[in-house]
Amino acid sequence: MTDSREQSQAIARPAVLRVDLSDFRGYAALRLGFDDRPVVLTGPNGAGKTNLLEAISFLAPGRGLRRVRLAEIDRRPGAGPWAVAATVQTPKGPVRIGTGRDARSESGERRLLRIDGARPRSQAALAEHVHLVWLTPQMDRLFLEGGGARRRFLDRLVLGFDPGHGARLAAFERTMRERARLLQEGPADPSWLKALEEGMAADAIAIAAARREVVARLDQACAAASSGAFPRPRLALEGPIDAWLAAMPALAAEEELRRRLAAERRIDAERGTASIGPHRSDLVVHHAGSGRAAAQCSTGEQKALLVAIILAYARLRAAVTGTPPILLLDEVAAHLDGERRAALLQEIATLGGQSWLTGTEPTLFAALDGAAQFFAISDAAVLAAGASKGTATL
């Protein structure tokens, strides 16, 4: 494994170099330029800091860090659909990304996307150019909510090592929905059902195997963390498919899943979904020091565990690929004590990549003075030098 510091001398670090917003939340039009250092956004609550992070999050596949309906992002009804355009520095050179809501689509909820002026086959293509990981106050309940949120969290981490992971997830979900429709409409052609189940099984095992590899490596990275400010998380996967992969070869697990899908068609017809698959797996996290499940830890310890996972992941990806992910950390410093806040900022400075941090006061990030770009935001206006009005276009 090549030392990431040596690679970083030859490989351009991923960074958002320019962003243009149009009718996005409170921003009518905004243009900002950056370099590859950390970005600090400060201002009062409701000023528009998180909205700017949300705009950046649409440079990745998915529904953004808030996961809301696309129409909810429009600045106001009748103002026009929102748009985000950005220039992103990548190891292969700058890439222009444009995305926004397609108001002309039947549902009004389709997302337009251009990469260097061309329309990709799917959003999954974004993962080939830029990798974003975020931590928001809404994620403080990650260990208390259902497994869906934890799977989405984990899958975003997997994308950093396997850009094709998103396409396999989308393919599995499409095939699963088609199978459910055929089972409910019934009677379905057994040959067609068999073909669908074979595709589901192949994608499912590939998804589970990719998750399994990343969780194992991330658990090791957490164990190797040098900072004692954050607790050590222990990570594992829990689910039938994950147990199979621990006990048998992938091809055997794939055959077992095909057999189970065929045997449970009647049950799945009643439920409207598949009873078994990667959508039933869960990311299980424990506090290594106390042995308690993360859900049983205090709110402060749960936050610290999450930060520890994100930092370990950033170090791991930098070590493996030579480039850390772009981190979006919303209001993260305000909920950490002084020791942990200092450790977080030191980690960010050591990583050397572009991280985006928001907070109410610049003093929270004083340790980054001279090493970061600071912008003050008030009422959806950027007050610091470097901001100018502009219009985002696709």
mmCIF file of all heavy atoms in Angstrom, residues 299-350:
data_model
loop_
_atom_site.group_PDB
_atom_site.id
_atom_site.type_symbol
_atom_site.label_atom_id
_atom_site.label_comp_id
_atom_site.label_asym_id
_atom_site.label_seq_id
_atom_site.Cartn_x
_atom_site.Cartn_y
_atom_site.Cartn_z
ATOM 1 N N THR A 299 -25.991 10.293 24.106
ATOM 2 C CA THR A 299 -26.056 11.065 22.867
ATOM 3 C C THR A 299 -24.674 11.567 22.463
ATOM 4 O O THR A 299 -24.293 11.513 21.296
ATOM 5 C CB THR A 299 -27.020 12.256 23.032
ATOM 6 O OG1 THR A 299 -28.321 11.759 23.376
ATOM 7 C CG2 THR A 299 -27.115 13.062 21.752
ATOM 8 N N GLY A 300 -23.908 12.051 23.445
ATOM 9 C CA GLY A 300 -22.571 12.541 23.156
ATOM 10 C C GLY A 300 -21.644 11.460 22.644
ATOM 11 O O GLY A 300 -20.851 11.692 21.719
ATOM 12 N N GLU A 301 -21.730 10.264 23.218
ATOM 13 C CA GLU A 301 -20.883 9.165 22.771
ATOM 14 C C GLU A 301 -21.298 8.680 21.388
ATOM 15 O O GLU A 301 -20.450 8.290 20.579
ATOM 16 C CB GLU A 301 -20.936 8.013 23.780
ATOM 17 C CG GLU A 301 -20.204 8.300 25.078
ATOM 18 C CD GLU A 301 -18.730 8.578 24.833
ATOM 19 O OE1 GLU A 301 -17.991 7.660 24.451
ATOM 20 O OE2 GLU A 301 -18.316 9.744 25.015
ATOM 21 N N GLN A 302 -22.602 8.696 21.097
ATOM 22 C CA GLN A 302 -23.044 8.313 19.760
ATOM 23 C C GLN A 302 -22.476 9.266 18.711
ATOM 24 O O GLN A 302 -22.011 8.838 17.647
ATOM 25 C CB GLN A 302 -24.573 8.306 19.694
ATOM 26 C CG GLN A 302 -25.215 7.171 20.474
ATOM 27 C CD GLN A 302 -26.728 7.175 20.364
ATOM 28 O OE1 GLN A 302 -27.282 7.600 19.358
ATOM 29 N NE2 GLN A 302 -27.396 6.709 21.403
ATOM 30 N N LYS A 303 -22.498 10.566 19.015
ATOM 31 C CA LYS A 303 -21.928 11.552 18.092
ATOM 32 C C LYS A 303 -20.436 11.303 17.919
ATOM 33 O O LYS A 303 -19.912 11.341 16.788
ATOM 34 C CB LYS A 303 -22.159 12.956 18.640
ATOM 35 C CG LYS A 303 -21.657 14.067 17.733
ATOM 36 C CD LYS A 303 -22.595 14.283 16.571
ATOM 37 C CE LYS A 303 -22.249 15.524 15.789
ATOM 38 N NZ LYS A 303 -23.246 15.843 14.764
ATOM 39 N N ALA A 304 -19.736 11.039 19.021
ATOM 40 C CA ALA A 304 -18.298 10.806 18.956
ATOM 41 C C ALA A 304 -17.982 9.545 18.156
ATOM 42 O O ALA A 304 -16.998 9.493 17.409
ATOM 43 C CB ALA A 304 -17.721 10.705 20.367
ATOM 44 N N LEU A 305 -18.805 8.509 18.285
ATOM 45 C CA LEU A 305 -18.610 7.287 17.506
ATOM 46 C C LEU A 305 -18.767 7.564 16.006
ATOM 47 O O LEU A 305 -17.983 7.070 15.177
ATOM 48 C CB LEU A 305 -19.606 6.213 17.946
ATOM 49 C CG LEU A 305 -19.332 5.535 19.288
ATOM 50 C CD1 LEU A 305 -20.547 4.746 19.741
ATOM 51 C CD2 LEU A 305 -18.108 4.618 19.202
ATOM 52 N N LEU A 306 -19.772 8.359 15.664
ATOM 53 C CA LEU A 306 -19.982 8.701 14.260
ATOM 54 C C LEU A 306 -18.798 9.466 13.689
ATOM 55 O O LEU A 306 -18.320 9.179 12.586
ATOM 56 C CB LEU A 306 -21.257 9.545 14.110
ATOM 57 C CG LEU A 306 -22.546 8.815 13.760
ATOM 58 C CD1 LEU A 306 -23.709 9.789 13.712
ATOM 59 C CD2 LEU A 306 -22.406 8.108 12.416
ATOM 60 N N VAL A 307 -18.323 10.460 14.442
ATOM 61 C CA VAL A 307 -17.174 11.242 13.979
ATOM 62 C C VAL A 307 -15.957 10.333 13.828
ATOM 63 O O VAL A 307 -15.195 10.445 12.858
ATOM 64 C CB VAL A 307 -16.875 12.407 14.946
ATOM 65 C CG1 VAL A 307 -15.586 13.121 14.551
ATOM 66 C CG2 VAL A 307 -18.038 13.394 14.964
ATOM 67 N N ALA A 308 -15.758 9.417 14.782
ATOM 68 C CA ALA A 308 -14.626 8.501 14.711
ATOM 69 C C ALA A 308 -14.699 7.632 13.462
ATOM 70 O O ALA A 308 -13.669 7.364 12.816
ATOM 71 C CB ALA A 308 -14.579 7.626 15.965
ATOM 72 N N ILE A 309 -15.899 7.172 13.095
ATOM 73 C CA ILE A 309 -16.060 6.357 11.896
ATOM 74 C C ILE A 309 -15.720 7.164 10.649
ATOM 75 O O ILE A 309 -15.002 6.698 9.749
ATOM 76 C CB ILE A 309 -17.491 5.801 11.814
ATOM 77 C CG1 ILE A 309 -17.728 4.768 12.923
ATOM 78 C CG2 ILE A 309 -17.750 5.161 10.448
ATOM 79 C CD1 ILE A 309 -19.171 4.330 13.060
ATOM 80 N N ILE A 310 -16.238 8.405 10.575
ATOM 81 C CA ILE A 310 -15.985 9.253 9.417
ATOM 82 C C ILE A 310 -14.493 9.539 9.260
ATOM 83 O O ILE A 310 -13.931 9.457 8.155
ATOM 84 C CB ILE A 310 -16.763 10.574 9.541
ATOM 85 C CG1 ILE A 310 -18.269 10.331 9.399
ATOM 86 C CG2 ILE A 310 -16.301 11.589 8.497
ATOM 87 C CD1 ILE A 310 -18.718 9.934 8.020
ATOM 88 N N LEU A 311 -13.815 9.859 10.352
ATOM 89 C CA LEU A 311 -12.391 10.172 10.282
ATOM 90 C C LEU A 311 -11.569 8.938 9.905
ATOM 91 O O LEU A 311 -10.631 9.021 9.099
ATOM 92 C CB LEU A 311 -11.910 10.739 11.612
ATOM 93 C CG LEU A 311 -12.477 12.111 11.994
ATOM 94 C CD1 LEU A 311 -11.978 12.534 13.369
ATOM 95 C CD2 LEU A 311 -12.105 13.164 10.948
ATOM 96 N N ALA A 312 -11.919 7.782 10.484
ATOM 97 C CA ALA A 312 -11.210 6.548 10.131
ATOM 98 C C ALA A 312 -11.413 6.222 8.658
ATOM 99 O O ALA A 312 -10.478 5.784 7.969
ATOM 100 C CB ALA A 312 -11.684 5.396 11.010
ATOM 101 N N TYR A 313 -12.623 6.445 8.165
ATOM 102 C CA TYR A 313 -12.910 6.187 6.756
ATOM 103 C C TYR A 313 -12.091 7.118 5.856
ATOM 104 O O TYR A 313 -11.528 6.683 4.845
ATOM 105 C CB TYR A 313 -14.393 6.372 6.473
ATOM 106 C CG TYR A 313 -14.712 6.293 5.007
ATOM 107 C CD1 TYR A 313 -14.752 5.065 4.352
ATOM 108 C CD2 TYR A 313 -14.945 7.450 4.264
ATOM 109 C CE1 TYR A 313 -15.013 4.993 2.993
ATOM 110 C CE2 TYR A 313 -15.204 7.373 2.903
ATOM 111 C CZ TYR A 313 -15.242 6.151 2.277
ATOM 112 O OH TYR A 313 -15.491 6.074 0.931
ATOM 113 N N ALA A 314 -12.020 8.396 6.221
ATOM 114 C CA ALA A 314 -11.260 9.348 5.411
ATOM 115 C C ALA A 314 -9.789 8.957 5.362
ATOM 116 O O ALA A 314 -9.143 9.018 4.301
ATOM 117 C CB ALA A 314 -11.426 10.761 5.971
ATOM 118 N N ARG A 315 -9.225 8.533 6.504
ATOM 119 C CA ARG A 315 -7.827 8.090 6.525
ATOM 120 C C ARG A 315 -7.642 6.836 5.668
ATOM 121 O O ARG A 315 -6.659 6.707 4.943
ATOM 122 C CB ARG A 315 -7.379 7.809 7.963
ATOM 123 C CG ARG A 315 -7.230 9.039 8.838
ATOM 124 C CD ARG A 315 -6.534 8.679 10.141
ATOM 125 N NE ARG A 315 -7.253 7.674 10.901
ATOM 126 C CZ ARG A 315 -8.186 7.932 11.810
ATOM 127 N NH1 ARG A 315 -8.511 9.194 12.071
ATOM 128 N NH2 ARG A 315 -8.792 6.966 12.463
ATOM 129 N N LEU A 316 -8.587 5.911 5.776
ATOM 130 C CA LEU A 316 -8.496 4.665 5.022
ATOM 131 C C LEU A 316 -8.533 4.927 3.522
ATOM 132 O O LEU A 316 -7.713 4.401 2.760
ATOM 133 C CB LEU A 316 -9.643 3.732 5.424
ATOM 134 C CG LEU A 316 -9.760 2.411 4.641
ATOM 135 C CD1 LEU A 316 -8.530 1.546 4.855
ATOM 136 C CD2 LEU A 316 -11.028 1.668 5.067
ATOM 137 N N ARG A 317 -9.467 5.756 3.086
ATOM 138 C CA ARG A 317 -9.567 6.027 1.648
ATOM 139 C C ARG A 317 -8.333 6.762 1.141
ATOM 140 O O ARG A 317 -7.853 6.503 0.040
ATOM 141 C CB ARG A 317 -10.827 6.833 1.335
ATOM 142 C CG ARG A 317 -11.080 6.940 -0.170
ATOM 143 C CD ARG A 317 -12.380 7.611 -0.502
ATOM 144 N NE ARG A 317 -12.682 7.474 -1.913
ATOM 145 C CZ ARG A 317 -12.221 8.293 -2.862
ATOM 146 N NH1 ARG A 317 -11.415 9.292 -2.538
ATOM 147 N NH2 ARG A 317 -12.549 8.111 -4.139
ATOM 148 N N ALA A 318 -7.802 7.695 1.946
ATOM 149 C CA ALA A 318 -6.592 8.400 1.538
ATOM 150 C C ALA A 318 -5.417 7.434 1.404
ATOM 151 O O ALA A 318 -4.611 7.542 0.476
ATOM 152 C CB ALA A 318 -6.263 9.501 2.543
ATOM 153 N N ALA A 319 -5.343 6.464 2.320
ATOM 154 C CA ALA A 319 -4.251 5.492 2.275
ATOM 155 C C ALA A 319 -4.372 4.563 1.085
ATOM 156 O O ALA A 319 -3.374 4.196 0.451
ATOM 157 C CB ALA A 319 -4.223 4.689 3.569
ATOM 158 N N VAL A 320 -5.602 4.162 0.745
ATOM 159 C CA VAL A 320 -5.804 3.184 -0.325
ATOM 160 C C VAL A 320 -5.763 3.827 -1.705
ATOM 161 O O VAL A 320 -5.156 3.292 -2.647
ATOM 162 C CB VAL A 320 -7.145 2.444 -0.123
ATOM 163 C CG1 VAL A 320 -7.458 1.548 -1.320
ATOM 164 C CG2 VAL A 320 -7.096 1.611 1.154
ATOM 165 N N THR A 321 -6.419 4.983 -1.860
ATOM 166 C CA THR A 321 -6.545 5.602 -3.181
ATOM 167 C C THR A 321 -5.604 6.778 -3.387
ATOM 168 O O THR A 321 -5.436 7.230 -4.521
ATOM 169 C CB THR A 321 -7.989 6.096 -3.407
ATOM 170 O OG1 THR A 321 -8.255 7.222 -2.538
ATOM 171 C CG2 THR A 321 -8.998 4.988 -3.137
ATOM 172 N N GLY A 322 -5.005 7.294 -2.315
ATOM 173 C CA GLY A 322 -4.161 8.468 -2.430
ATOM 174 C C GLY A 322 -4.908 9.768 -2.305
ATOM 175 O O GLY A 322 -4.301 10.840 -2.256
ATOM 176 N N THR A 323 -6.252 9.728 -2.253
ATOM 177 C CA THR A 323 -7.054 10.945 -2.143
ATOM 178 C C THR A 323 -8.138 10.756 -1.088
ATOM 179 O O THR A 323 -8.882 9.769 -1.140
ATOM 180 C CB THR A 323 -7.726 11.306 -3.480
ATOM 181 O OG1 THR A 323 -8.537 10.215 -3.911
ATOM 182 C CG2 THR A 323 -6.691 11.617 -4.537
ATOM 183 N N PRO A 324 -8.260 11.672 -0.143
ATOM 184 C CA PRO A 324 -9.349 11.563 0.830
ATOM 185 C C PRO A 324 -10.671 11.974 0.203
ATOM 186 O O PRO A 324 -10.685 12.619 -0.855
ATOM 187 C CB PRO A 324 -8.932 12.568 1.918
ATOM 188 C CG PRO A 324 -8.147 13.602 1.174
ATOM 189 C CD PRO A 324 -7.418 12.859 0.084
ATOM 190 N N PRO A 325 -11.794 11.601 0.805
ATOM 191 C CA PRO A 325 -13.083 12.075 0.305
ATOM 192 C C PRO A 325 -13.269 13.546 0.643
ATOM 193 O O PRO A 325 -12.548 14.102 1.482
ATOM 194 C CB PRO A 325 -14.091 11.207 1.074
ATOM 195 C CG PRO A 325 -13.395 10.936 2.379
ATOM 196 C CD PRO A 325 -11.939 10.795 2.034
ATOM 197 N N ILE A 326 -14.207 14.178 -0.020
ATOM 198 C CA ILE A 326 -14.635 15.517 0.385
ATOM 199 C C ILE A 326 -15.652 15.342 1.508
ATOM 200 O O ILE A 326 -16.655 14.640 1.333
ATOM 201 C CB ILE A 326 -15.253 16.289 -0.788
ATOM 202 C CG1 ILE A 326 -14.204 16.513 -1.883
ATOM 203 C CG2 ILE A 326 -15.823 17.616 -0.320
ATOM 204 C CD1 ILE A 326 -14.749 17.169 -3.135
ATOM 205 N N LEU A 327 -15.380 15.936 2.656
ATOM 206 C CA LEU A 327 -16.246 15.793 3.830
ATOM 207 C C LEU A 327 -17.159 16.995 3.968
ATOM 208 O O LEU A 327 -16.706 18.138 3.859
ATOM 209 C CB LEU A 327 -15.399 15.642 5.102
ATOM 210 C CG LEU A 327 -14.421 14.474 5.167
ATOM 211 C CD1 LEU A 327 -13.659 14.505 6.488
ATOM 212 C CD2 LEU A 327 -15.149 13.145 5.004
ATOM 213 N N LEU A 328 -18.433 16.755 4.215
ATOM 214 C CA LEU A 328 -19.403 17.804 4.521
ATOM 215 C C LEU A 328 -19.837 17.598 5.967
ATOM 216 O O LEU A 328 -20.577 16.654 6.269
ATOM 217 C CB LEU A 328 -20.613 17.718 3.578
ATOM 218 C CG LEU A 328 -20.321 17.696 2.069
ATOM 219 C CD1 LEU A 328 -21.626 17.636 1.280
ATOM 220 C CD2 LEU A 328 -19.486 18.892 1.642
ATOM 221 N N LEU A 329 -19.374 18.459 6.867
ATOM 222 C CA LEU A 329 -19.604 18.293 8.301
ATOM 223 C C LEU A 329 -20.438 19.462 8.801
ATOM 224 O O LEU A 329 -19.935 20.562 9.044
ATOM 225 C CB LEU A 329 -18.266 18.212 9.044
ATOM 226 C CG LEU A 329 -17.296 17.135 8.531
ATOM 227 C CD1 LEU A 329 -15.970 17.207 9.273
ATOM 228 C CD2 LEU A 329 -17.913 15.747 8.653
ATOM 229 N N ASP A 330 -21.721 19.228 8.954
ATOM 230 C CA ASP A 330 -22.672 20.296 9.296
ATOM 231 C C ASP A 330 -22.816 20.416 10.814
ATOM 232 O O ASP A 330 -23.253 19.465 11.477
ATOM 233 C CB ASP A 330 -24.031 19.992 8.650
ATOM 234 C CG ASP A 330 -24.995 21.162 8.746
ATOM 235 O OD1 ASP A 330 -24.533 22.304 8.918
ATOM 236 O OD2 ASP A 330 -26.216 20.915 8.650
ATOM 237 N N GLU A 331 -22.459 21.573 11.350
ATOM 238 C CA GLU A 331 -22.602 21.877 12.784
ATOM 239 C C GLU A 331 -21.940 20.809 13.656
ATOM 240 O O GLU A 331 -22.403 20.514 14.750
ATOM 241 C CB GLU A 331 -24.086 22.005 13.165
ATOM 242 C CG GLU A 331 -24.819 23.118 12.443
ATOM 243 C CD GLU A 331 -24.383 24.516 12.894
ATOM 244 O OE1 GLU A 331 -23.677 24.606 13.918
ATOM 245 O OE2 GLU A 331 -24.747 25.485 12.220
ATOM 246 N N VAL A 332 -20.855 20.235 13.196
ATOM 247 C CA VAL A 332 -20.248 19.138 13.940
ATOM 248 C C VAL A 332 -19.465 19.623 15.150
ATOM 249 O O VAL A 332 -19.447 18.968 16.197
ATOM 250 C CB VAL A 332 -19.345 18.291 12.999
ATOM 251 C CG1 VAL A 332 -18.144 19.086 12.527
ATOM 252 C CG2 VAL A 332 -18.907 17.010 13.682
ATOM 253 N N ALA A 333 -18.810 20.784 15.064
ATOM 254 C CA ALA A 333 -17.942 21.237 16.155
ATOM 255 C C ALA A 333 -18.727 21.662 17.382
ATOM 256 O O ALA A 333 -18.264 21.514 18.521
ATOM 257 C CB ALA A 333 -17.063 22.393 15.674
ATOM 258 N N ALA A 334 -19.936 22.185 17.186
ATOM 259 C CA ALA A 334 -20.708 22.718 18.307
ATOM 260 C C ALA A 334 -21.122 21.647 19.299
ATOM 261 O O ALA A 334 -21.403 21.942 20.459
ATOM 262 C CB ALA A 334 -21.949 23.448 17.781
ATOM 263 N N HIS A 335 -21.158 20.405 18.884
ATOM 264 C CA HIS A 335 -21.645 19.327 19.740
ATOM 265 C C HIS A 335 -20.511 18.460 20.278
ATOM 266 O O HIS A 335 -20.759 17.369 20.787
ATOM 267 C CB HIS A 335 -22.659 18.483 18.970
ATOM 268 C CG HIS A 335 -23.817 19.267 18.438
ATOM 269 N ND1 HIS A 335 -24.808 19.746 19.251
ATOM 270 C CD2 HIS A 335 -24.108 19.697 17.185
ATOM 271 C CE1 HIS A 335 -25.688 20.426 18.510
ATOM 272 N NE2 HIS A 335 -25.289 20.398 17.258
ATOM 273 N N LEU A 336 -19.279 18.971 20.161
ATOM 274 C CA LEU A 336 -18.126 18.260 20.696
ATOM 275 C C LEU A 336 -17.476 19.096 21.789
ATOM 276 O O LEU A 336 -17.458 20.329 21.712
ATOM 277 C CB LEU A 336 -17.092 17.997 19.589
ATOM 278 C CG LEU A 336 -17.547 17.142 18.397
ATOM 279 C CD1 LEU A 336 -16.453 17.103 17.342
ATOM 280 C CD2 LEU A 336 -17.921 15.731 18.846
ATOM 281 N N ASP A 337 -16.933 18.425 22.810
ATOM 282 C CA ASP A 337 -16.215 19.175 23.838
ATOM 283 C C ASP A 337 -14.897 19.687 23.262
ATOM 284 O O ASP A 337 -14.514 19.367 22.130
ATOM 285 C CB ASP A 337 -15.987 18.315 25.082
ATOM 286 C CG ASP A 337 -15.169 17.050 24.797
ATOM 287 O OD1 ASP A 337 -14.301 17.083 23.905
ATOM 288 O OD2 ASP A 337 -15.409 16.037 25.479
ATOM 289 N N GLY A 338 -14.186 20.506 24.047
ATOM 290 C CA GLY A 338 -12.984 21.150 23.549
ATOM 291 C C GLY A 338 -11.932 20.187 23.067
ATOM 292 O O GLY A 338 -11.297 20.391 22.026
ATOM 293 N N GLU A 339 -11.722 19.091 23.800
ATOM 294 C CA GLU A 339 -10.701 18.124 23.417
ATOM 295 C C GLU A 339 -11.041 17.453 22.093
ATOM 296 O O GLU A 339 -10.183 17.314 21.211
ATOM 297 C CB GLU A 339 -10.541 17.063 24.510
ATOM 298 C CG GLU A 339 -9.490 16.005 24.182
ATOM 299 C CD GLU A 339 -9.430 14.887 25.203
ATOM 300 O OE1 GLU A 339 -10.267 14.888 26.146
ATOM 301 O OE2 GLU A 339 -8.570 14.003 25.070
ATOM 302 N N ARG A 340 -12.297 17.049 21.942
ATOM 303 C CA ARG A 340 -12.689 16.370 20.713
ATOM 304 C C ARG A 340 -12.742 17.333 19.536
ATOM 305 O O ARG A 340 -12.417 16.971 18.401
ATOM 306 C CB ARG A 340 -14.032 15.675 20.915
ATOM 307 C CG ARG A 340 -13.896 14.404 21.755
ATOM 308 C CD ARG A 340 -15.219 13.766 22.084
ATOM 309 N NE ARG A 340 -14.999 12.486 22.747
ATOM 310 C CZ ARG A 340 -15.951 11.802 23.376
ATOM 311 N NH1 ARG A 340 -17.200 12.288 23.436
ATOM 312 N NH2 ARG A 340 -15.673 10.652 23.949
ATOM 313 N N ARG A 341 -13.134 18.578 19.786
ATOM 314 C CA ARG A 341 -13.153 19.564 18.702
ATOM 315 C C ARG A 341 -11.730 19.791 18.192
ATOM 316 O O ARG A 341 -11.494 19.842 16.985
ATOM 317 C CB ARG A 341 -13.751 20.873 19.193
ATOM 318 C CG ARG A 341 -13.963 21.903 18.075
ATOM 319 C CD ARG A 341 -14.472 23.208 18.650
ATOM 320 N NE ARG A 341 -15.613 22.977 19.515
ATOM 321 C CZ ARG A 341 -15.790 23.560 20.697
ATOM 322 N NH1 ARG A 341 -14.883 24.406 21.165
ATOM 323 N NH2 ARG A 341 -16.868 23.313 21.408
ATOM 324 N N ALA A 342 -10.780 19.935 19.112
ATOM 325 C CA ALA A 342 -9.387 20.141 18.713
ATOM 326 C C ALA A 342 -8.868 18.935 17.939
ATOM 327 O O ALA A 342 -8.152 19.071 16.936
ATOM 328 C CB ALA A 342 -8.523 20.408 19.946
ATOM 329 N N ALA A 343 -9.234 17.708 18.375
ATOM 330 C CA ALA A 343 -8.792 16.500 17.692
ATOM 331 C C ALA A 343 -9.378 16.415 16.293
ATOM 332 O O ALA A 343 -8.695 16.016 15.335
ATOM 333 C CB ALA A 343 -9.170 15.269 18.505
ATOM 334 N N LEU A 344 -10.652 16.808 16.156
ATOM 335 C CA LEU A 344 -11.301 16.795 14.843
ATOM 336 C C LEU A 344 -10.587 17.736 13.882
ATOM 337 O O LEU A 344 -10.265 17.363 12.742
ATOM 338 C CB LEU A 344 -12.769 17.190 14.984
ATOM 339 C CG LEU A 344 -13.523 17.481 13.674
ATOM 340 C CD1 LEU A 344 -13.601 16.222 12.807
ATOM 341 C CD2 LEU A 344 -14.915 18.026 13.958
ATOM 342 N N LEU A 345 -10.345 18.971 14.320
ATOM 343 C CA LEU A 345 -9.710 19.952 13.439
ATOM 344 C C LEU A 345 -8.284 19.543 13.094
ATOM 345 O O LEU A 345 -7.809 19.784 11.977
ATOM 346 C CB LEU A 345 -9.750 21.335 14.093
ATOM 347 C CG LEU A 345 -11.155 21.898 14.354
ATOM 348 C CD1 LEU A 345 -11.074 23.278 14.970
ATOM 349 C CD2 LEU A 345 -11.988 21.930 13.072
ATOM 350 N N GLN A 346 -7.601 18.917 14.041
ATOM 351 C CA GLN A 346 -6.254 18.431 13.752
ATOM 352 C C GLN A 346 -6.291 17.327 12.702
ATOM 353 O O GLN A 346 -5.453 17.285 11.793
ATOM 354 C CB GLN A 346 -5.598 17.911 15.036
ATOM 355 C CG GLN A 346 -4.183 17.358 14.841
ATOM 356 C CD GLN A 346 -3.234 18.395 14.282
ATOM 357 O OE1 GLN A 346 -3.160 19.515 14.797
ATOM 358 N NE2 GLN A 346 -2.521 18.044 13.210
ATOM 359 N N GLU A 347 -7.270 16.436 12.809
ATOM 360 C CA GLU A 347 -7.413 15.366 11.818
ATOM 361 C C GLU A 347 -7.676 15.953 10.433
ATOM 362 O O GLU A 347 -7.120 15.495 9.432
ATOM 363 C CB GLU A 347 -8.548 14.434 12.221
ATOM 364 C CG GLU A 347 -8.229 13.519 13.385
ATOM 365 C CD GLU A 347 -7.682 12.184 12.913
ATOM 366 O OE1 GLU A 347 -7.326 12.069 11.722
ATOM 367 O OE2 GLU A 347 -7.614 11.267 13.734
ATOM 368 N N ILE A 348 -8.539 16.963 10.366
ATOM 369 C CA ILE A 348 -8.870 17.582 9.087
ATOM 370 C C ILE A 348 -7.637 18.231 8.473
ATOM 371 O O ILE A 348 -7.369 18.104 7.273
ATOM 372 C CB ILE A 348 -10.005 18.605 9.269
ATOM 373 C CG1 ILE A 348 -11.325 17.858 9.507
ATOM 374 C CG2 ILE A 348 -10.123 19.539 8.062
ATOM 375 C CD1 ILE A 348 -12.476 18.744 9.869
ATOM 376 N N ALA A 349 -6.850 18.927 9.316
ATOM 377 C CA ALA A 349 -5.629 19.549 8.819
ATOM 378 C C ALA A 349 -4.632 18.499 8.340
ATOM 379 O O ALA A 349 -3.955 18.679 7.323
ATOM 380 C CB ALA A 349 -5.007 20.414 9.914
ATOM 381 N N THR A 350 -4.543 17.375 9.044
ATOM 382 C CA THR A 350 -3.600 16.317 8.674
ATOM 383 C C THR A 350 -4.019 15.618 7.393
ATOM 384 O O THR A 350 -3.174 15.269 6.555
ATOM 385 C CB THR A 350 -3.489 15.285 9.815
ATOM 386 O OG1 THR A 350 -3.056 15.951 11.009
ATOM 387 C CG2 THR A 350 -2.509 14.183 9.465
#
